[in-house]
Amino acid sequence: MPTVIKKLDANSYQLKDQVVGINRVTKVVKGGKNLSFSALVVVGDSAGHVGYGMGKAREVSSAIKKGVEAAKKNIVRVPITDKGSTIPHTVTGRYGSGAVLLKPASEGTGVIAGGAVRAVITAAGIQNILTKSLGSTTAHNVVKATVDALLRLKRPERVARLRGKELADIVPVDEKRKRAESTAVAVAAPAAPAAEPEAGSGEAPAPAPQV
């Protein structure tokens, strides 16, 4: 099932551009060779919006400018968790022979990525994530596979609403936190009073333990 991309207005965000790669292209014609440059550019506002584009021109600056304009037309929204500034779940994106694996990471991990993947992740504003490139190392394929992975992300609230369940049923509670909360409740609970001997039984109460 193809991913539906919703077009966003680039003028509503403060976008910063980053050049991923520049290639020199030579076209052989009858009169000789025509030299031009192609630039792959990523734009983002570091707040959950990112896009990519490619421009081609006779000069590098013109190619970058065209790439930025093309990237602003392909802005997409990326779901980022409030806690840890990471992604909600593990996902794999594919484009052509390129494949990129994205995994959420705990706070303080940082962006474990390199090259084209880091450019997209940084532009989107994700601060803690683990990534792995599994296929082609071509910058164009890696960038498009990374964006495809980000488009496959779903927020837990949306999944719970679609399934008609509560959020707690979709997102399991961390076992360590669960045990810590149960231990805290057990410690805070008052101790049960000692049973008093029945009247007339002739049994003396047990002495208090020496500290």
Side-chain angles (χ1 to χ4, degrees), residues 35-49:
L35 181 65
S36 60
F37 298 90
S38 65
L40 179 63
V41 184
V42 173
V43 299
D45 62 348
S46 299
H49 300 91

Side-chain angles (χ1 to χ4, degrees), residues 85-187:
S85 297
T86 185
I87 57 178
H89 55 85
T90 303
V91 67
T92 301
R94 300 181 183 277
Y95 184 87
S97 60
V100 175
L101 171 66
L102 305 180
K103 291 184 65 176
S106 58
E107 191 171 359
T109 303
V111 179
I112 309 301
V117 181
R118 173 177 285 272
V120 177
I121 296 300
T122 304
I126 302 173
Q127 300 178 6
N128 301 287
I129 192 172
L130 301 172
T131 68
K132 179 67 176 178
S133 180
L134 303 174
S136 172
T137 58
T138 305
H140 291 267
N141 288 345
V142 173
V143 167
K144 294 176 182 179
T146 305
V147 174
D148 179 67
L150 296 177
L151 289 173
R152 295 174 184 269
L153 293 174
K154 296 181 180 179
R155 293 186 179 275
E157 297 84 359
R158 181 168 178 263
V159 176
R161 185 172 65 255
L162 292 175
R163 297 183 182 181
K165 297 183 178 181
E166 297 294 332
L167 182 60
D169 299 333
I170 302 298
V171 182
V173 181
D174 188 11
E175 292 297 331
K176 293 183 179 180
R177 187 176 64 183
K178 204 173 185 181
R179 288 197 296 267
E181 291 177 355
S182 60
T183 304
V185 171
V187 172

Side-chain angles (χ1 to χ4, degrees), residues 17-26 35-43 51-72 74 116 119 138-141 143-144:
D17 58 90
Q18 182 177 353
V19 179
V20 178
I22 298 177
N23 293 329
R24 186 176 62 179
V25 182
T26 303
L35 181 65
S36 60
F37 298 90
S38 65
L40 179 63
V41 184
V42 173
V43 299
Y52 70 92
M54 188 182 67
K56 186 177 180 181
R58 292 291 182 90
E59 298 180 359
V60 176
S61 58
S62 300
I64 294 175
K65 185 177 180 180
K66 288 184 178 181
V68 172
E69 295 299 325
K72 289 182 178 179
N74 298 321
T138 305
H140 291 267
N141 288 345
V143 167
K144 294 176 182 179

Side-chain angles (χ1 to χ4, degrees), residues 9-17 43-46 49-51 68 71-73 75 123:
D9 185 11
N11 298 325
S12 304
Y13 314 106
Q14 297 180 353
L15 301 174
K16 297 181 180 179
D17 58 90
V43 299
D45 62 348
S46 299
H49 300 91
V50 67
V68 172
K72 289 182 178 179
K73 297 178 182 179
I75 299 295

